[in-house]
Amino acid sequence: MTAVDTWWTVTVDRDACIGTGVCAGAAPRQIEIRAGKASALAPETAPDEAVIDAADMCPMSAITVRDAASGALLAPEE
């Protein structure tokens, strides 16, 4: 197993979230529905296209994915 030297931060704006669950379906290892709203399972994750897809699919743009080191926005696309 190789060490991961790149990490992404995943945040969910629970006030904006409407709880459709599309994100949890797209990225079940990173996002779950808790009390009717999306929540990140961990503050940081190894890079995974599924979490980018989840952020891009969110109808409320409530999920953001950033490079943990630089803070650069990876998703959703602006």
Side-chain angles (χ1 to χ4, degrees):
M1 233 170 132
T2 59
V4 176
D5 56 359
T6 301
W7 289 92
W8 292 352
T9 58
V10 179
T11 56
V12 178
D13 179 346
R14 287 180 53 89
D15 290 332
C17 178
I18 59 171
T20 66
V22 214
C23 56
R29 291 187 311 250
Q30 293 89 1
I31 300 169
E32 69 179 0
I33 301 298
R34 216 181 289 155
K37 305 271 184 146
S39 291
L41 291 171
E44 290 189 352
T45 186
D48 186 338
E49 282 302 311
V51 78
I52 296 287
D53 291 343
D56 286 338
M57 288 179 193
C58 178
M60 303 308 291
S61 298
I63 301 167
T64 55
V65 182
R66 294 183 178 275
D67 181 281
S70 70
L73 181 66
L74 303 172
E77 291 184 1
E78 293 183 335

